[in-house]
Amino acid sequence: MYRRSLVRITSVSPTPPSSRIASRLSSLQSHFQPLQSYIAPRTPRSFPRSISTMTIPSTQKAIVVEKTGGPEVLEVRSDYPVPTPKEGQLLVKNQICGINYIDTYFRTGLYPSEKPEVLGREAVGTVVALGPGENPYNFQVGDRVAWMATSGYAEYSAVPQLKTVKVPKEISDEDVMASFLSGLTVLSFVKETYPVQKGDWVLLHAAAGGAGFLMTQILKSIGATVIGTAGGPEKVELVKSLGADYVIDYRSEEGKDWVKKVKEITNGRGVDVVYDSVGKDTWEGSLEAVKRKGTIVWFGNASGPVPPLPLPKLSPKCVKIARPTLFGYIETREEFEFYVNELFGLLKSGELKVKVHKVYPLDQVAQAHTDLESRKTTGKLLLKA
């Protein structure tokens, strides 16, 4: 489907990263063509405590979670205080917020967090104020930016400059949010957690989901042989259209024993790597489907968390297990820019396609969570702030 590699990486920071980061990024770069930088150059500047040429209200509409529970605990508030940006922060008026499965983990208490809280890990919008102190990345009021932090289900968010980038004008708000957190996750996992090589056999669960939709394309661009799992004929056809070599409908009679199908497809060998964001319902099957000396990457809990894993279960096939998170790969600015430039380049060129399931109004967030947890959606769910 794709004749040239999706993944072309360049380092964009004028300031050399640490030797450890430089070595790792250099090893990745060596395989790919240079890519134009989309991150603005750094120009240290100082500002007083707050600068804004826009009218900023004192209260806003936000989605507040006071206690853990189902979608019903997502409370729509119109009197929530607009935050004041602190040193190193920006105040952003959000336009589109991303909905991610991890939001449901914080809502239900699977991942502990302080309550009350405003959910949401990413958004795209406009800078309306800067906090005090230096401005190392040269942000200005009026800049259109994408950010990754917390408290995205709101009209305004105070976010760290460190995890905020300017968005190229060629990329729409919807396309940015359909791929930002998910796209950076996919790129880092296929390049660092398990460096996928041409010819590798890959089993990808939830291949029609927000992350799976992007990962299928990137895996095929590398030259991997992809076995995707999905639920229902419509999702199966979608994953096939992305270039997956085999797609198993786990809801069909034949697909219920998907481990057997994987073994048949691989002539009993098993796959080199499993990318599993489903968790509880698939973890045992993933261990069966992976080859001897293979790798399993667990990165989600759509059906519930993987139970405590007896380590002796890994011994017979010398299986390696990874449980990564995106933020472990983008801790520094250099790492963040590295993957953002890669993603923005792919979006701008049109080589990476995105899919938006639906854009929900902010006050329909409970329905959005219900739809997401039903596992009947395809692509990314978004909120209009």
Side-chain angles (χ1 to χ4, degrees):
M1 180 177 177
Y2 296 94
R3 294 192 178 181
R4 56 186 176 130
S5 172
L6 283 172
V7 185
R8 301 169 298 165
I9 300 180
T10 186
S11 176
V12 299
S13 171
T15 303
S18 70
S19 58
R20 178 180 61 82
I21 297 169
S23 175
R24 187 178 72 194
L25 300 190
S26 176
S27 68
L28 289 174
Q29 288 172 313
S30 63
H31 299 288
F32 305 103
Q33 300 279 340
L35 180 67
Q36 177 184 354
S37 169
Y38 296 99
I39 306 295
R42 304 179 188 183
T43 304
R45 299 173 65 187
S46 296
F47 288 85
R49 287 201 58 82
S50 181
I51 290 181
S52 176
T53 58
M54 302 183 181
T55 301
I56 302 173
S58 59
T59 59
Q60 61 168 324
K61 182 182 285 187
I63 308 302
V64 182
V65 176
E66 297 276 355
K67 61 183 179 180
T68 59
E72 71 280 356
V73 303
L74 295 162
E75 180 185 356
V76 182
R77 294 262 300 272
S78 58
D79 60 348
Y80 197 77
V82 172
T84 300
K86 300 175 182 177
E87 184 171 356
Q89 289 187 329
L90 307 168
L91 182 64
V92 177
K93 187 179 190 307
N94 300 318
Q95 299 298 324
I96 299 286
C97 315
I99 301 176
N100 296 285
Y101 224 101
I102 194 173
D103 300 341
T104 69
Y105 304 158
F106 288 111
R107 190 203 74 220
T108 61
L110 178 62
Y111 289 179
S113 57
E114 278 191 40
K115 301 291 186 291
E117 71 172 322
V118 176
L119 299 178
R121 314 284 284 188
E122 58 177 340
V124 61
T126 304
V127 175
V128 295
L130 295 92
E134 291 188 350
N135 180 19
Y137 310 113
N138 196 28
F139 288 109
Q140 313 242 352
V141 169
D143 283 344
R144 179 167 165 257
V145 297
W147 61 261
M148 192 178 297
T150 58
S151 303
Y153 291 7
E155 293 177 310
Y156 293 86
S157 301
V159 300
Q161 290 194 33
L162 185 65
K163 292 296 184 286
T164 303
V165 293
K166 299 178 186 180
V167 178
K169 63 182 179 181
E170 297 90 346
I171 307 174
S172 70
D173 289 351
E174 288 80 4
D175 284 358
V176 171
M177 279 298 100
S179 62
F180 196 52
L181 190 149
S182 298
L184 299 184
T185 297
V186 166
L187 286 169
S188 60
F189 287 7
V190 302
K191 290 302 163 189
E192 297 201 61
T193 307
Y194 175 88
V196 178
Q197 304 296 316
K198 183 177 180 180
D200 280 349
W201 283 83
V202 180
L203 173 60
L204 173 61
H205 289 299
F213 184 92
L214 303 176
M215 189 176 282
T216 301
Q217 297 175 69
I218 290 175
L219 289 169
K220 287 308 302 173
S221 76
I222 295 171
T225 301
V226 178
I227 304 172
T229 67
E234 182 181 349
K235 289 188 176 183
V236 167
E237 290 306 311
L238 173 64
V239 178
K240 285 181 179 178
S241 75
L242 299 173
D245 300 272
Y246 306 91
V247 187
I248 300 171
D249 182 356
Y250 61 80
R251 290 182 180 173
S252 70
E253 196 60 38
E254 183 184 27
K256 286 180 181 178
D257 192 353
W258 54 266
V259 174
K260 180 181 177 182
K261 287 292 296 180
V262 171
K263 292 288 186 67
E264 290 175 356
I265 291 168
T266 60
N267 294 318
R269 172 181 176 271
V271 295
D272 295 282
V273 61
V274 181
Y275 286 98
D276 189 339
S277 61
V278 177
K280 180 173 69 70
D281 290 351
T282 53
W283 76 275
E284 288 187 285
S286 292
L287 281 169
E288 290 184 55
V290 75
K291 74 169 189 178
R292 182 178 64 88
K293 297 193 287 187
T295 300
I296 299 175
V297 181
W298 278 308
F299 66 103
N301 309 288
S303 65
V306 174
L309 178 64
L311 291 180
K313 289 183 75 71
L314 309 180
S315 300
K317 292 195 291 184
C318 300
V319 174
K320 295 181 286 293
I321 300 294
R323 183 54 174 93
T325 63
L326 167 62
F327 292 94
Y329 292 123
I330 58 168
E331 182 175 333
T332 69
R333 183 68 182 190
E334 290 84 359
E335 292 169 317
F336 183 50
E337 290 181 357
F338 179 80
Y339 283 114
V340 167
N341 272 303
E342 168 66 5
L343 177 64
F344 283 177
L346 298 174
L347 292 174
K348 187 180 177 185
S349 69
E351 294 177 83
L352 183 64
K353 307 299 182 185
V354 302
K355 180 175 177 59
V356 175
H357 174 75
K358 184 177 178 180
V359 180
Y360 298 77
L362 201 60
D363 56 9
Q364 290 184 17
V365 64
Q367 183 61 54
H369 273 230
T370 299
D371 294 346
L372 181 64
E373 290 178 299
S374 74
R375 294 169 65 181
K376 295 178 181 178
T377 64
T378 58
K380 191 69 176 274
L381 282 66
L382 304 176
L383 283 177
K384 177 70 175 175

